[in-house]
Amino acid sequence: MEFKGAMGGLYRITEWISRIAFSNILWAICSVPFLLTAVLKIIMMATGQGGPNEQITLNWVLGITAPFTVFPATAALFTVVRKWVMGNTDVSTFRTFFQGYKENYVKSMLGGLIYTLLFVIMYVDVTVYMTQMASFKIVGILMLVLMIILFVSMFNFFSIIVHYQMTFKEVVSNSILLTIARPIRVFSTLIAGAVLIYIGLRYPALYFICIPTLIAMVAFFNFYATYNKLQLQVEKKKQEELEAEEAALNGGTDHEDEVMEQDTKRI
């Protein structure tokens, strides 16, 4: 049954809310070990409980669980939002999510290992240069900028995984190159993500309802816009090359006709 007017608009709004909330719940369930550890760490930091050893232990748990839980879950979430952004909104959220989870588990897990390792190295560098080596503070700032770029490149990483059939090496290299080559899209994704994270900090319940899914939607939307633009550029270049080839062939034909005409006159 299709509703029209105000009822139809209200129905579509509630339908989208349920889709986003359900996909968010699936993502949270598949990321439970990481999320529980993160919540515990936040609580300990907010209340001042636990010493440095406990914090270090939690950091290790976060680093170990992230590649095997939150990265595959995020790839599955991007599989769902990809369908939505491309206009296919009638797909089964549950089936699409776990199909993406299964198909992209290995690549997302390997990417999680690399990204986690890089984040740990950069985090240590930023901490050392910013707090213990004041004369090299500029290096710490540079590493912080690289951390931000690396963070944003993760969105392209997940988008490429679910949108292209590429080798793992190609996925990683293209996600970084695309991040550097399209700074405006990177900036817009970063700003939108920061705004959503800030709203989530004000209203923490939204993290369990919609924040991760909305960030994924914004990230894939920017990626898809970049993808379409690149496709148009490739098609335009091919068209120009084809026209140049046709012009060259026509030019050669015209030259042959002129030669034949001159030969005819001589005869």
Side-chain angles (χ1 to χ4, degrees), residues 172-226:
V172 174
S173 60
N174 281 295
S175 62
I176 296 175
L177 289 174
L178 190 61
T179 303
I180 297 173
R182 299 292 175 179
I184 295 178
R185 289 292 177 182
V186 169
F187 185 74
S188 61
T189 299
L190 186 62
I191 293 299
V195 170
L196 289 170
I197 290 172
Y198 174 76
I199 294 173
L201 292 176
R202 295 291 300 273
Y203 307 99
L206 292 179
Y207 276 112
F208 300 97
I209 299 174
C210 63
I211 296 296
T213 302
L214 291 178
I215 292 176
M217 289 180 69
V218 171
F220 189 84
F221 176 83
N222 280 331
F223 166 81
Y224 193 58
T226 301

Side-chain angles (χ1 to χ4, degrees), residues 5 84 87 184 209 235 249 255 267:
W84 296 346
I184 295 178
I209 299 174
E235 292 176 1
L249 290 174
H255 179 69
I267 294 172

